[in-house]
Amino acid sequence: DAKTTQPPSMDCAEGRAANLPCNHSTISGNEYVYWYRQIHSQGPQYIIHGLKNNETNEMASLIITEDRKSSTLILPHATLRDTAVYYCIVTNGSSNTGKLIFGQGTTLQVKP
Amino acid sequence: KAGVTQTPRYLIKTRGQQVTLSCSPISGHRSVSWYQQTPGQGLQFLFEYFSETQRNKGNFPGRFSGRQFSNSRSEMNVSTLELGDSALYLCASSLKGQAGELFFGEGSRLTVL
């Protein structure tokens, strides 16, 4: 699986958009970009994933660059409950059953 | 719909003992994966089971083992515990096991003294 690079920490004001970047310059054509987050002392939670196109769900939006070498997770209106470690993962899910390679992630601190 | 349930949530053992952790996946999910999380190494994949068969394995010593039952419930066992085995052990389930949308439990926090 391709490696990812994320900033170790970011701050965001409550109510503002949080934009979390991720570099995955060695991503392969059949690899997806997944985002998970882990709130303190809880198990990781799936947020969103994408292959080429931008994706949006009730939690967040995922913007993938045209060359697929980087992506941005957007939390449109961050709340204090969004304070967590956010992990960007690239994986060919079908060949790596059950296995996600987690990096160190980005610790997002949402401040009032 | 009930989520992934892990038991026990907390436990304390001493070096040399063994421990068994249990995981009940979401109803209908046939794949169960196990992860170890420590402050130094982060989240690391242990193994994955699907229909009672281990399909994928991480780089952990043989002291770490697991199994899955016909009802998809899974257990993992760590024998001859070492201090470094102190960690949060997380179980995740998914419908087919493809490494994408995994549903994680709250974890079992093991402390080895």
Side-chain angles (χ1 to χ4, degrees):
Chain A
D1 285 340
K3 292 185 178 179
T4 62
T5 304
Q6 300 178 252
S9 64
M10 293 182 64
D11 290 341
C12 177
E14 189 178 19
R16 303 297 295 269
N19 296 281
L20 292 91
C22 179
N23 286 321
H24 32 79
S25 59
T26 60
I27 191 170
S28 300
N30 59 353
E31 288 181 318
Y32 287 76
V33 180
Y34 279 81
W35 283 83
Y36 278 75
R37 72 179 182 183
Q38 186 173 25
I39 297 170
H40 184 60
S41 297
Q42 297 183 18
Q45 176 190 25
Y46 164 83
I47 301 173
I48 198 168
H49 76 278
L51 182 63
K52 294 182 181 179
N53 301 320
N54 299 338
E55 302 288 345
T56 296
N57 63 19
E58 65 278 4
M59 288 183 67
S61 295
L62 174 60
I63 308 298
I64 303 174
T65 58
E66 194 168 341
D67 63 7
R68 303 210 323 125
K69 292 185 177 181
S70 66
S71 61
T72 301
L73 177 74
I74 301 172
L75 307 178
H77 305 287
T79 71
L80 298 179
R81 289 177 293 180
D82 292 321
T83 292
V85 179
Y86 287 77
Y87 297 98
C88 169
I89 302 165
V90 293
T91 182
N92 177 354
S94 61
S95 66
N96 252 338
T97 55
K99 179 180 180 180
L100 293 174
I101 298 177
F102 288 84
Q104 295 304 307
T106 296
T107 299
L108 175 68
Q109 181 72 46
V110 180
K111 299 184 175 181
Chain B
K1 196 173 187 180
V4 176
T5 304
Q6 292 189 244
T7 57
R9 291 292 313 281
Y10 302 92
L11 67 166
I12 300 173
K13 294 286 187 178
T14 57
R15 281 179 296 175
Q17 288 187 311
Q18 72 167 7
V19 66
T20 299
L21 308 177
S22 179
C23 173
S24 293
I26 292 172
S27 178
H29 285 192
R30 298 171 63 189
S31 168
V32 173
S33 305
W34 288 89
Y35 287 77
Q36 181 197 65
Q37 185 171 29
T38 60
Q41 298 298 318
L43 276 155
Q44 292 185 288
F45 172 76
L46 280 158
F47 30 65
E48 186 255 358
Y49 287 86
F50 184 88
S51 293
E52 303 179 65
T53 300
Q54 186 183 88
R55 295 196 303 185
N56 206 350
K57 189 176 187 299
N59 295 322
F60 278 82
R63 300 185 298 107
F64 293 81
S65 63
R67 60 177 176 169
Q68 187 180 34
F69 302 95
S70 58
N71 62 358
S72 294
R73 190 178 69 85
S74 177
E75 290 181 347
M76 68 162 285
N77 183 275
V78 187
S79 63
T80 319
L81 284 166
E82 301 176 359
L83 295 179
D85 297 333
S86 294
L88 180 66
Y89 290 89
L90 291 157
C91 165
S93 77
S94 70
L95 199 58
K96 298 178 182 178
Q98 292 186 347
E101 190 173 348
L102 302 182
F103 295 85
F104 284 83
E106 298 281 301
S108 294
R109 184 164 295 281
L110 170 66
T111 301
V112 182
L113 302 176

